[in-house]
């Protein structure tokens, strides 16, 4: 059975959300980050950087939330996607982690970056329901989680972005989201 390693308030919840969307059986291994469990030899054998999340799927070990999302999408998601479809998925997952997250969460650049990033996202989501067309997928988990975290952690106001606001409501209503990130945001 696939094992997902994570701690409280970590990006492991993003991976957990996607695992729930896929309907994959998994074991969540909670690491006490305050107690240093992520720095113990057993976990360092999974991720030598000592960061979460990490997964073990059979004999395969992987860390970095974006890499894990792409792996899960390729292994357990819809089959027979073209190289260009896979590249588009990678584009959005990498955008979420490398551009959107820092753009919203790095305070020194937030004022400059937020509008530059959110205006085009609002236009894209004004044309279709999800990041890649009208079908929910891993790109939505990656991008949507960053947007939802900005709302929850920074009290970011999306009122000037009506399509983004609708999108956040749409993904927030998903049962897998409610079971994972949504459950934690109300505790």
């Amino acid at each position: 059975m696939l094992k997902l390693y994570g701690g409280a308030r970590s990006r492991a919840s993003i991976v957990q959300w996607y695992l729930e969307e896929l309907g994959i059986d998994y074991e969540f291994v909670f690491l006490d980050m305050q107690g240093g469990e992520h720095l113990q030899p057993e976990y360092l054998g999974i991720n030598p950087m000592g960061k979460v999340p990490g997964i073990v799927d059979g004999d395969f070990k992987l860390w970095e939330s974006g890499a894990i999302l792409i792996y899960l999408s390729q292994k357990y998601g819809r089959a027979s996607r073209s190289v260009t479809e896979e590249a588009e998925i990678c584009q959005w997952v990498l955008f979420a982690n490398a551009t959107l997250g820092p753009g919203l969460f790095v305070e020194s650049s937030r004022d400059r970056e937020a509008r530059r990033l959110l205006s085009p996202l609002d236009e894209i989501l004004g044309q279709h329901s999800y990041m890649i067309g009208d079908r929910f997928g891993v790109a939505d988990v990656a991008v949507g989680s960053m947007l939802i975290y900005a709302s929850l952690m920074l009290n970011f106001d999306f009122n000037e972005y009506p399509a983004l606001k609708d999108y956040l409501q749409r993904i927030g209503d998903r049962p897998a989201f409610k079971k994972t990130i949504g459950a934690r945001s109300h505790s």
Side-chain angles (χ1 to χ4, degrees):
M1 177 184 294
L2 186 143
K3 289 184 179 184
L4 167 62
Y5 292 81
R9 299 177 188 246
S10 74
R11 288 188 181 199
S13 59
I14 299 169
V15 174
Q16 189 175 27
W17 174 20
Y18 191 50
L19 285 166
E20 290 290 334
E21 291 284 353
L22 291 170
I24 303 297
D25 286 335
Y26 66 96
E27 175 187 348
F28 184 80
V29 180
F30 179 81
L31 299 176
D32 178 1
M33 308 293 277
Q34 301 286 17
E37 286 184 340
H38 61 299
L39 301 175
Q40 297 304 308
E42 181 183 339
Y43 185 69
L44 291 174
I46 297 165
N47 182 352
M49 304 302 159
K51 301 285 188 178
V52 295
I55 64 166
V56 175
D57 190 10
D59 293 331
F60 182 63
K61 300 170 186 172
L62 188 64
W63 44 276
E64 274 302 314
S65 61
I68 294 168
L69 290 176
I70 291 167
Y71 166 76
L72 294 172
S73 173
Q74 290 175 343
K75 183 170 181 181
Y76 299 105
R78 290 196 346 233
S80 68
R81 288 189 293 237
S82 71
V83 171
T84 56
E85 289 169 317
E86 288 294 339
E88 191 174 12
I89 289 167
C90 289
Q91 167 190 274
W92 285 115
V93 172
L94 293 171
F95 166 79
N97 286 353
T99 304
L100 183 60
L104 296 177
F105 287 94
V106 175
E107 189 175 358
S108 62
S109 60
R110 184 179 309 133
D111 289 341
R112 180 180 69 246
E113 292 293 306
R115 181 175 302 281
R116 191 175 70 77
L117 298 171
L118 297 179
S119 291
L121 281 176
D122 193 62
E123 285 182 39
I124 290 165
L125 290 164
Q127 296 170 17
H128 40 83
S129 299
Y130 296 103
M131 295 310 308
I132 303 175
D134 290 320
R135 184 175 213 170
F136 178 88
V138 68
D140 299 292
V141 172
V143 173
S145 62
M146 290 299 153
L147 296 170
I148 286 172
Y149 283 149
S151 177
L152 295 172
M153 297 165 72
L154 304 174
N155 202 22
F156 198 92
D157 182 5
F158 288 96
N159 282 328
E160 67 180 275
Y161 307 103
L164 271 176
K165 194 172 176 183
D166 290 346
Y167 173 71
L168 293 175
Q169 182 67 49
R170 216 171 13 264
I171 62 175
D173 286 341
R174 296 183 68 80
F177 175 84
K178 287 180 180 181
K179 185 175 179 180
T180 56
I181 294 172
R184 289 186 190 95
S185 67
H186 292 88
S187 53

